[in-house]
Amino acid sequence: MNDVAKEKELEEVFSDYGSGSVGLAQINTIVGDIEYNSKKVLKYINHAQNIGLDLVIFPELTLTGYPVGDAILRYPLLADTNVKWLNEIAKLTTKTVALVGFLEPANDKNNKFYSSVAVLGEGKVLNVIRKSFVDKNYEFNDCKYIISSDNSDISTINVNGIRYAVSVGDDYLCENKFSGQNFDIIINCSASVTYTKKEQCKFGRLSALSQKYSAPLIYVNQVGAVDNASFAGLSAVFDKEGKLFARAKAFDEQFLIVNPSKNLGKIYPLIRGLELTSEDDGKFSLDYEPDMERTYNILIQGIKDYFGKTGFERAVLGLSGGLDSTVCAVLLTDALGKENVFGVSMPSKITSDTSKNDAQMLAQNLGIGFTQAPIKEMFDTTNNCLQELFADVEQNWDCRYKKSFTPDNIQARSRAMFLWGVSNEFDSCLPIATSDKSEAYMGYATINGDMSGGFAPIADVTKTKLFALARWMNENRPQKNAIPQSVIEKRPGAELAINPETGKPLIAEDALMPYEFLDEVIWRIENKHQSYDDMLNSEFLYEKSHKVIENKHQSYDDMLNSEFLYEKSHKVTPEQKQQWLEKFYRRMGTALYKKSIMPPYVIVDSPSYNFSQPITSGRINYKNESEETIRAKLQRIF
Amino acid sequence: MNDVAKEKELEEVFSDYGSGSVGLAQINTIVGDIEYNSKKVLKYINHAQNIGLDLVIFPELTLTGYPVGDAILRYPLLADTNVKWLNEIAKLTTKTVALVGFLEPANDKNNKFYSSVAVLGEGKVLNVIRKSFVDKNYEFNDCKYIISSDNSDISTINVNGIRYAVSVGDDYLCENKFSGQNFDIIINCSASVTYTKKEQCKFGRLSALSQKYSAPLIYVNQVGAVDNASFAGLSAVFDKEGKLFARAKAFDEQFLIVNPSKNLGKIYPLIRGLELTSEDDGKFSLDYEPDMERTYNILIQGIKDYFGKTGFERAVLGLSGGLDSTVCAVLLTDALGKENVFGVSMPSKITSDTSKNDAQMLAQNLGIGFTQAPIKEMFDTTNNCLQELFADVEQNWDCRYKKSFTPDNIQARSRAMFLWGVSNEFDSCLPIATSDKSEAYMGYATINGDMSGGFAPIADVTKTKLFALARWMNENRPQKNAIPQSVIEKRPGAELAINPETGKPLIAEDALMPYEFLDEVIWRIENKHQSYDDMLNSEFLYEKSHKVIENKHQSYDDMLNSEFLYEKSHKVTPEQKQQWLEKFYRRMGTALYKKSIMPPYVIVDSPSYNFSQPITSGRINYKNESEETIRAKLQRIF
């Protein structure tokens, strides 16, 4: 949101490509803040006019921002307001033609709208082009409010003798709409959310369309995050052979100038991970390295935009010396600046010296604020008060647990109490929930404890991927090895309880299952939609002989420098596997409630993580039953 | 879920209506628990066969339960499993014909299904009838998975010489599908969610259809709650003139026997509030009395089913002596039984003696478990620890608030710490979040404090309606006046802080605005979709001379027995109104995050409460701006 820097950047990418030059305004909008969005649009139009472009193109629904969701009903002036701003922008658009996405009220229908693109020029609205293919985009419930135009043909406009066919969003998928039309260049104004392995698939389709009609194609996408939804940008231009000749940056606002008639434009490098196509996803892999740059960037954008768009600037988080809080601290530092991050080490009597030292060293390395606030007093007071309370409750109620998680949870909740206190006391500050995806699936997080916060940066990143991300950040951030090696090497545990069998702090994998196995189960559910039986009958990577890059007391460098990576395979008996899978399903069912109160996060891996399922369906049957079993069960009723 | 009671009830309503008798199985299912649902279905079929009914009819998607949501993708065996159970049920269905709603895989399409009704009889599946009109039901995202059959005509079946036209869900709205078909009776298998003033509208349409085709109509609906969605039951039968002659209970499982050919059946009384039609909703009223019975029943069902279906039995809640926790305690007592409710009074130094006494008297009246657990120690320890922590943080960060909500929040969070402790320590126990709807809209609740819990019973009930509900329960529960009069009479306040102006505990309305005004703003937004300007230019009930039934030191009886109710009108200056409305919109925007982490609740008033809007759109513009203002703002950029 630094406007000076943005304007400077704008200047840098201006080029004089002559007649037929087009500007792709890949902007980051704020949903509903029409004034903010309109001013930004006008700035880009001004620049376009100043340097004499023929045309400047904005993403779909730029004036309102996308997705608007139910705000349309709650703020009934929204559409009228964006039309007013559009009309005023039009008056200032005289030299260049601008294509601006806006929400057009369908006058004959209540609370129904078109996703339209206005053609601005000569100081007025020259034309309005309506989206004709409104997909059932369930995620954002588009078709609840947006209706399709009944244009059977694609609309065209003529700018300085060049004929442009203008498509909005998924219109470009309806290839037949282009048939029999006369146009030189295809335009697609889009607001297309990014997921793992989505981009190349989309680019392939766009390229195919330009080939089919032997016309260059200009694709303008929005950039930025809206809550958990991320938009990558990557606006692009293909020549009439379908070859890419210009592409904007990923995860950054940009004004890209091209001349499609002359194949002029610049290709900014693709962030690694965005080049992956869906054909790559046949198998689970623990080698996350190819996806690390994308993962890092999507997280950084997600944090930046959540804070920026809600008006927060600073973050406070607990630093346990463990992996989750460590990765969060690094991400927050990179997204918000070290001066805006404060880490609090809140040791208990279980906390090891290593953990304390790691937390402090991390903070030192990052240069963030840091202090230690032991929770012993909080724990003792709470525990004392609770013991009295429990004794009272026990007079009425039976079934007090012999062994409970109460002491573990008191620790986690005391820490959250500290962090929310800082958030209360200091302006513009959000406390951070450090839950990761593996633990969120298992409900292995404390309500009002580590899963509580104003934002949960890594809630869609599995544990094994977090290890890879920590290594990657140590290698690829300007400051190398900010994360202490011991954080990456130790086996994760919340340090909330002592394992009676070992006398040492309980390791999470002992309570759950090996993370390599757990994360593959999640992957199979989200990406392959597999069942319990499918998994029972599949060989997991954990069981195979494979390269070890996780959880070993060996650094990345050690391994890179070894002649070959250490290979291992675990013997997993069918009984063990069944037991793990049953635990997984049982825990996933009872974790539905926790998922429902998870703070806002960034979707990194799979839209499936955002699945909604009734909490009261936690007893859902995941096992395949034979007809004989079913018959026997019913006969008993009959 | 008391099966013995249910079966006894089943027996009671059996009647011998002779040939052509039909059973309407208005059942409460558990989403995804196909075994549970199937066994229940078979029990009803058995009863039907035992007493020799021609036909027994179940709701839409009975075997899976409705709505299934994304569970369809996460549990890929779900549909196959429900087909297996269906086939086995069919084998046991020999004497009576049964219509059973199930999820039918569309074999040619991946992850697409029909909502179908199987016709079971002669020990097999005789026929399968697919839903043909799948509405874009956005709330449950039906059309994400459910596709429409392409039957142009309604399907008919013949049972003992009577021809039934079978429609599924909203199929009955497509009247033309019935044209030219030969049938004697229309059947509609449904799973139709209830909202304020919905039922009579639906009944009117059903009645019109039976009139149009001069055929009796049988409507079978599911009952029970699925998370926040409530199903009222109210299965009904209309004669060929469209006149209602049988209707099942609301909010209860029931097997209703009718004979549509002979107009035989029983009409159970309608719960008050369900008879309201949408024509009644023209104006905001503080006279909630007509809607109290419905409100109470929907809340009780919602609590019962959330606990029952997730496997919880007991609730612990803080009793502050205030309205919110008091109403919650009564509802929980009625829904779960007094032995399953435990109230904890957790006074601070601000807590008045009245509040402490009211809490204790309430618990005594209800006969629930009760103890007092002062939070002084917790507060002092937390506050001391935090002061040290704040001093440390202040060395890095500026902008420490001169006056913060920290002490208020410590109190609320200490209380939640106690309640979650009890939940941790005692089996099957959920802590209760007592936030009400007025305060939820305003974000006037503490994160990890009073808005934290496993369930939030009254999160969709406004404060003025809660006062009415408290009065109604005092009048209408078997035990009269369980709620101490002083709870109903005092003005609400969280007793978390002292108002420096008065030296007394801060009253919520001083921090917000009068609840009568606030609740009308909410009503106008949810029901009228009004804008800030609409409201600024409307006269509010609060401003009008009107009967006083809220917040006065006068009991319901006093008022009933007065010759006339006291009339009042408040002078509200335009500036004051503008200030309240601005505060409302500002707070609603920043409360979006809190709404996103609200525990599960019951939707009582309006589906609009469930609106989803990006949290990052909190800055959305709610004011109408003139073109001149917009022009001036843009000129500055230009």
Side-chain angles (χ1 to χ4, degrees):
Chain A
M1 308 284 143
N2 183 334
D3 281 342
V4 180
K6 286 287 169 215
E7 289 201 32
K8 197 181 163 308
E9 193 173 64
L10 276 181
E11 299 299 341
E12 280 173 21
V13 292
F14 283 154
S15 312
D16 182 11
Y17 286 153
S19 166
S21 290
V22 176
L24 285 64
Q26 172 178 299
I27 64 172
N28 187 350
T29 51
I30 297 179
V31 171
D33 195 342
I34 295 168
E35 178 170 341
Y36 175 88
N37 301 338
S38 296
K39 286 177 173 171
K40 189 173 264 189
V41 164
L42 187 58
K43 271 189 199 172
Y44 278 79
I45 290 177
N46 280 351
H47 281 294
Q49 301 195 116
N50 288 339
I51 58 165
L53 298 183
D54 275 16
L55 191 59
V56 53
I57 309 172
F58 294 86
E60 186 179 358
L61 288 174
T62 274
L63 288 191
T64 56
Y66 178 84
V68 187
D70 291 319
I72 287 182
L73 268 193
R74 196 173 279 162
Y75 296 87
L77 289 181
L78 195 76
D80 288 348
T81 304
N82 97 125
V83 170
K84 278 190 191 173
W85 282 89
L86 180 76
N87 287 329
E88 297 305 320
I89 294 170
K91 292 178 189 163
L92 302 168
T93 309
T94 48
K95 292 190 241 164
T96 293
V97 168
L99 300 186
V100 180
F102 76 108
L103 188 68
E104 185 195 359
N107 287 322
D108 52 335
K109 284 176 186 160
N110 222 358
N111 293 319
K112 296 289 176 193
F113 305 85
Y114 298 105
S115 169
S116 296
V117 167
V119 185
L120 311 184
E122 304 167 23
K124 61 187 179 189
V125 179
L126 297 170
N127 199 352
V128 169
I129 296 164
R130 293 172 178 165
K131 185 174 185 168
S132 56
F133 181 66
V134 180
D135 189 20
K136 291 173 182 162
N137 186 331
Y138 303 98
E139 185 169 18
F140 303 122
N141 262 349
D142 278 1
C143 58
K144 186 166 178 184
Y145 301 112
I146 311 280
I147 54 175
S148 305
S149 87
D150 39 20
N151 295 352
S152 54
D153 297 327
I154 205 79
S155 300
T156 57
I157 58 167
N158 189 316
V159 182
N160 295 341
I162 300 173
R163 292 162 307 176
Y164 298 91
V166 182
S167 59
V168 187
D170 283 343
D171 280 356
Y172 82 94
L173 294 171
C174 311
E175 294 185 7
N176 295 336
K177 286 190 182 287
F178 295 86
S179 288
Q181 302 294 303
N182 289 316
F183 54 82
D184 304 303
I185 294 172
I186 298 171
I187 289 173
N188 183 244
C189 300
S190 198
S192 176
V193 73
T194 181
Y195 291 126
T196 331
K197 298 167 186 169
K198 173 172 174 184
E199 320 302 326
Q200 288 307 81
C201 165
K202 176 140 205 173
F203 276 25
R205 287 178 157 190
L206 291 166
S207 163
L209 184 65
S210 64
Q211 277 178 64
K212 179 163 179 186
Y213 291 99
S214 289
L217 186 149
I218 305 171
Y219 163 71
V220 182
N221 189 21
Q222 78 173 17
V223 71
V226 179
D227 295 10
N228 63 18
S230 294
F231 298 85
L234 290 174
S235 301
V237 190
F238 301 86
D239 69 16
K240 61 182 181 183
E241 276 88 40
K243 191 167 158 286
L244 183 84
F245 73 87
R247 186 180 57 216
K249 295 176 190 172
F251 304 115
D252 209 352
E253 206 165 89
Q254 196 180 7
F255 193 39
L256 183 69
I257 316 266
V258 300
N259 190 322
S261 311
K262 301 178 186 168
N263 283 17
L264 293 174
K266 186 170 170 185
I267 297 183
Y268 284 84
L270 207 57
I271 277 172
R272 237 190 123 191
L274 289 170
E275 86 284 4
L276 298 168
T277 66
S278 50
E279 283 88 65
D280 300 326
D281 69 357
K283 280 181 180 164
F284 177 72
S285 167
L286 286 163
D287 179 12
Y288 295 106
E289 209 278 329
D291 196 36
M292 278 300 116
E293 198 183 1
R294 185 192 71 89
T295 299
Y296 174 80
N297 277 279
I298 209 168
L299 288 168
I300 296 295
Q301 173 178 277
I303 298 168
K304 256 188 195 162
D305 275 3
Y306 188 81
F307 276 74
K309 293 177 182 182
T310 52
F312 287 92
E313 286 168 21
R314 311 195 283 202
V316 61
L317 83 167
L319 291 184
S320 69
L323 183 71
D324 290 352
S325 62
T326 298
V327 170
C328 284
V330 182
L331 291 169
L332 290 163
T333 304
D334 292 355
L336 307 176
K338 63 183 179 185
E339 67 284 4
N340 289 319
V341 183
F342 200 100
V344 188
S345 161
M346 296 173 283
S348 74
K349 63 178 182 189
I350 300 171
T351 310
S352 66
D353 284 342
T354 321
S355 296
K356 282 186 249 185
N357 293 338
D358 285 346
Q360 184 156 20
M361 187 176 297
L362 173 74
Q364 224 162 25
N365 291 349
L366 295 175
I368 61 176
F370 178 78
T371 192
Q372 214 183 64
I375 59 165
K376 182 179 185 318
E377 269 184 88
M378 284 290 293
F379 181 85
D380 290 344
T381 304
T382 311
N383 197 40
N384 288 341
C385 292
L386 279 181
Q387 292 311 321
E388 281 179 45
L389 176 56
F390 294 161
D392 288 344
V393 177
E394 213 171 4
Q395 296 183 357
N396 277 59
W397 278 355
D398 56 357
C399 295
R400 181 172 173 182
Y401 291 117
K402 300 252 169 356
K403 193 190 155 347
S404 79
F405 292 109
T406 312
D408 311 27
N409 285 338
I410 294 174
Q411 295 169 63
R413 288 181 188 136
S414 298
R415 291 175 177 132
M417 186 88 107
F418 282 6
L419 299 178
W420 279 103
V422 174
S423 163
N424 277 144
E425 194 79 6
F426 291 86
D427 186 43
S428 293
C429 172
L430 281 183
I432 296 302
T434 54
S435 286
D436 68 49
K437 180 177 189 165
S438 309
E439 297 176 349
Y441 258 98
M442 295 294 88
Y444 195 72
T446 303
I447 298 161
N448 294 6
D450 56 321
M451 69 165 281
S452 165
F455 195 65
I458 57 169
D460 188 33
V461 189
T462 58
K463 190 72 100 185
T464 54
K465 194 170 182 182
L466 284 172
F467 275 108
L469 181 58
R471 280 195 203 90
W472 184 88
M473 291 194 296
N474 265 357
E475 295 282 321
N476 290 281
R477 291 176 70 245
Q479 178 197 24
K480 307 295 174 202
N481 297 312
I483 300 174
Q485 199 56 35
S486 53
V487 173
I488 301 177
E489 284 169 4
K490 71 182 155 208
R491 293 179 66 203
E495 290 194 327
L496 294 173
I498 299 294
N499 186 342
E501 288 172 28
T502 61
K504 291 183 184 168
L506 187 71
I507 298 297
E509 291 178 298
D510 296 341
L512 303 171
M513 63 199 76
Y515 280 116
E516 288 147 305
F517 185 88
L518 170 56
D519 290 353
E520 184 165 348
V521 177
I522 295 171
W523 183 89
R524 285 171 181 267
I525 285 185
E526 290 191 348
N527 296 285
K528 295 284 170 186
H529 304 300
Q530 288 194 348
S531 71
Y532 169 84
D533 285 278
D534 292 337
M535 289 192 268
L536 204 57
N537 299 321
S538 304
E539 191 181 26
F540 275 56
L541 185 54
Y542 182 77
E543 303 170 83
K544 288 185 197 162
S545 178
H546 65 283
K547 291 176 181 171
V548 173
I549 49 169
E550 306 296 325
N551 297 344
K552 275 286 146 188
H553 293 255
Q554 203 182 9
S555 75
Y556 191 68
D557 282 324
D558 286 347
M559 289 195 286
L560 274 182
N561 299 329
S562 305
E563 198 164 318
F564 51 87
L565 294 170
Y566 180 68
E567 303 235 338
K568 70 171 174 182
S569 72
H570 298 90
K571 278 244 161 25
V572 183
T573 65
E575 294 71 31
Q576 175 66 82
K577 194 166 182 174
Q578 189 174 340
Q579 196 197 315
W580 285 341
L581 285 171
E582 284 177 359
K583 185 189 275 183
F584 181 90
Y585 276 95
R586 201 172 56 243
R587 294 196 71 124
M588 180 168 74
T590 53
L592 289 169
Y593 158 72
K594 287 188 180 177
K595 181 78 198 319
S596 82
I597 57 161
M598 177 72 80
Y601 54 87
V602 192
I603 294 181
V604 177
D605 276 355
S606 166
S608 300
Y609 185 53
N610 213 25
F611 273 5
S612 83
Q613 180 190 339
I615 297 170
T616 46
S617 74
R619 284 197 225 170
I620 216 160
N621 182 22
Y622 54 86
K623 286 191 184 177
N624 197 4
E625 283 179 303
S626 73
E627 280 147 24
E628 292 66 37
T629 316
I630 293 172
R631 201 170 306 148
K633 285 177 174 175
L634 283 178
Q635 285 290 359
R636 252 172 274 149
I637 302 292
F638 198 72
Chain B
M1 307 284 141
N2 183 332
D3 281 342
V4 179
K6 286 286 166 214
E7 288 202 32
K8 196 180 164 310
E9 193 174 65
L10 275 183
E11 299 298 343
E12 280 174 23
V13 292
F14 283 151
S15 312
D16 181 11
Y17 287 152
S19 165
S21 290
V22 177
L24 284 64
Q26 172 179 298
I27 64 173
N28 187 350
T29 51
I30 297 179
V31 170
D33 194 342
I34 295 167
E35 177 170 341
Y36 175 89
N37 301 338
S38 296
K39 285 176 173 173
K40 189 172 264 189
V41 165
L42 186 59
K43 271 188 199 173
Y44 278 80
I45 291 177
N46 280 350
H47 282 292
Q49 300 194 115
N50 288 341
I51 58 168
L53 298 184
D54 276 15
L55 190 58
V56 53
I57 309 172
F58 293 86
E60 187 180 359
L61 288 174
T62 272
L63 288 191
T64 55
Y66 177 83
V68 188
D70 292 320
I72 287 182
L73 270 193
R74 196 175 278 162
Y75 296 87
L77 289 180
L78 196 76
D80 288 348
T81 303
N82 98 125
V83 170
K84 278 190 189 174
W85 282 89
L86 180 76
N87 287 330
E88 296 306 321
I89 294 170
K91 292 179 188 162
L92 301 168
T93 309
T94 49
K95 292 190 242 164
T96 292
V97 169
L99 300 187
V100 180
F102 76 109
L103 188 69
E104 185 195 359
N107 287 324
D108 52 336
K109 284 177 187 160
N110 221 358
N111 294 318
K112 295 290 176 191
F113 306 86
Y114 297 107
S115 168
S116 296
V117 166
V119 185
L120 311 184
E122 303 166 25
K124 62 188 179 189
V125 179
L126 297 170
N127 198 353
V128 168
I129 295 164
R130 292 171 180 166
K131 185 175 186 168
S132 56
F133 180 67
V134 180
D135 189 19
K136 291 172 184 164
N137 187 332
Y138 303 98
E139 187 169 16
F140 303 124
N141 262 350
D142 278 1
C143 59
K144 185 167 178 180
Y145 300 112
I146 311 280
I147 55 177
S148 306
S149 88
D150 39 19
N151 295 351
S152 53
D153 297 330
I154 206 77
S155 300
T156 59
I157 59 168
N158 189 315
V159 183
N160 296 340
I162 300 173
R163 293 162 306 176
Y164 297 89
V166 182
S167 59
V168 187
D170 284 342
D171 279 358
Y172 81 93
L173 294 172
C174 311
E175 295 186 6
N176 295 336
K177 286 191 180 289
F178 295 86
S179 288
Q181 301 294 303
N182 290 316
F183 53 84
D184 304 303
I185 293 172
I186 299 171
I187 291 173
N188 183 245
C189 300
S190 197
S192 176
V193 73
T194 181
Y195 291 124
T196 332
K197 298 166 185 168
K198 173 172 174 183
E199 320 302 326
Q200 287 305 82
C201 166
K202 175 140 205 174
F203 276 26
R205 287 178 158 190
L206 291 165
S207 163
L209 184 65
S210 64
Q211 278 179 64
K212 178 164 178 183
Y213 291 99
S214 288
L217 185 148
I218 306 170
Y219 163 71
V220 182
N221 189 22
Q222 78 173 17
V223 72
V226 179
D227 296 10
N228 63 17
S230 295
F231 298 85
L234 291 175
S235 301
V237 190
F238 301 85
D239 69 15
K240 61 182 181 182
E241 277 89 40
K243 191 168 156 286
L244 185 85
F245 72 87
R247 186 182 56 216
K249 296 176 191 171
F251 304 115
D252 210 353
E253 206 165 87
Q254 196 180 7
F255 193 38
L256 183 70
I257 316 268
V258 299
N259 190 320
S261 311
K262 301 177 186 168
N263 282 18
L264 293 174
K266 186 171 170 184
I267 297 184
Y268 285 83
L270 207 56
I271 278 171
R272 236 190 125 191
L274 289 169
E275 85 285 3
L276 297 170
T277 65
S278 48
E279 283 87 65
D280 300 326
D281 69 356
K283 279 182 182 162
F284 177 71
S285 167
L286 285 163
D287 179 12
Y288 295 107
E289 209 279 330
D291 196 35
M292 279 300 115
E293 197 181 3
R294 185 193 71 89
T295 299
Y296 174 80
N297 277 278
I298 210 168
L299 288 167
I300 295 295
Q301 172 178 277
I303 297 168
K304 256 188 193 162
D305 276 3
Y306 188 81
F307 276 74
K309 293 178 182 182
T310 52
F312 287 92
E313 286 167 22
R314 311 196 282 202
V316 61
L317 83 167
L319 291 183
S320 69
L323 182 72
D324 289 351
S325 62
T326 298
V327 170
C328 284
V330 183
L331 292 168
L332 291 162
T333 303
D334 292 356
L336 307 176
K338 63 183 178 187
E339 67 283 5
N340 289 319
V341 183
F342 200 101
V344 188
S345 160
M346 296 173 282
S348 74
K349 63 178 182 186
I350 300 171
T351 310
S352 67
D353 284 341
T354 321
S355 296
K356 283 186 248 185
N357 293 339
D358 285 347
Q360 183 156 19
M361 187 177 295
L362 173 75
Q364 224 163 24
N365 291 349
L366 296 175
I368 61 175
F370 179 78
T371 192
Q372 213 183 65
I375 58 165
K376 183 180 183 318
E377 268 183 90
M378 283 291 292
F379 181 85
D380 290 344
T381 304
T382 311
N383 198 39
N384 288 341
C385 292
L386 279 182
Q387 292 311 320
E388 280 179 47
L389 176 55
F390 295 161
D392 288 345
V393 176
E394 214 172 3
Q395 294 182 359
N396 277 57
W397 278 354
D398 56 359
C399 294
R400 180 170 174 185
Y401 291 118
K402 299 254 168 358
K403 195 194 158 335
S404 80
F405 292 109
T406 312
D408 312 26
N409 286 337
I410 294 174
Q411 295 169 62
R413 289 183 187 134
S414 297
R415 291 175 178 132
M417 186 89 108
F418 281 6
L419 300 177
W420 278 104
V422 174
S423 163
N424 276 144
E425 193 78 5
F426 291 87
D427 187 42
S428 294
C429 173
L430 280 183
I432 297 301
T434 54
S435 284
D436 69 49
K437 180 178 190 165
S438 309
E439 295 176 349
Y441 258 98
M442 295 295 87
Y444 196 71
T446 303
I447 298 160
N448 294 5
D450 56 321
M451 68 164 281
S452 166
F455 194 66
I458 57 169
D460 188 33
V461 190
T462 56
K463 189 71 98 183
T464 54
K465 194 170 182 182
L466 284 172
F467 275 108
L469 182 58
R471 281 196 202 89
W472 185 88
M473 292 194 296
N474 265 357
E475 295 282 321
N476 291 281
R477 291 176 70 244
Q479 178 197 24
K480 307 296 175 201
N481 297 312
I483 300 174
Q485 199 57 35
S486 54
V487 173
I488 302 177
E489 285 168 5
K490 73 182 154 208
R491 293 178 68 202
E495 291 193 327
L496 294 174
I498 299 293
N499 185 343
E501 288 172 28
T502 62
K504 291 182 182 165
L506 188 71
I507 300 297
E509 291 179 297
D510 296 341
L512 303 170
M513 62 198 77
Y515 279 116
E516 289 148 304
F517 186 88
L518 170 56
D519 291 352
E520 184 165 346
V521 177
I522 295 172
W523 183 89
R524 286 170 180 267
I525 285 185
E526 290 193 348
N527 297 285
K528 295 284 172 184
H529 304 301
Q530 287 193 349
S531 70
Y532 168 85
D533 285 280
D534 293 337
M535 289 191 268
L536 204 57
N537 300 320
S538 304
E539 191 182 25
F540 275 55
L541 185 54
Y542 181 77
E543 302 170 85
K544 288 184 197 164
S545 178
H546 66 282
K547 292 175 180 171
V548 173
I549 49 170
E550 305 296 325
N551 298 345
K552 275 286 147 189
H553 292 254
Q554 202 180 13
S555 75
Y556 191 68
D557 285 321
D558 287 345
M559 288 194 287
L560 274 183
N561 299 328
S562 303
E563 195 164 317
F564 51 87
L565 294 171
Y566 180 69
E567 303 237 336
K568 71 172 172 180
S569 72
H570 298 91
K571 277 245 160 28
V572 183
T573 64
E575 293 71 34
Q576 175 67 81
K577 194 165 183 177
Q578 188 174 340
Q579 196 198 316
W580 284 341
L581 285 171
E582 284 177 0
K583 186 189 275 184
F584 181 90
Y585 276 95
R586 201 172 56 242
R587 293 196 72 123
M588 180 168 74
T590 53
L592 290 169
Y593 158 74
K594 286 188 181 176
K595 181 77 197 318
S596 82
I597 58 161
M598 177 72 80
Y601 54 87
V602 193
I603 294 181
V604 177
D605 276 353
S606 166
S608 299
Y609 187 51
N610 214 24
F611 273 5
S612 83
Q613 179 189 340
I615 299 171
T616 45
S617 73
R619 282 198 227 172
I620 217 159
N621 182 23
Y622 54 87
K623 285 189 183 176
N624 197 3
E625 283 179 304
S626 72
E627 279 147 25
E628 291 66 38
T629 316
I630 293 171
R631 200 170 308 149
K633 284 177 175 176
L634 284 177
Q635 284 291 357
R636 253 172 273 149
I637 302 291
F638 198 71

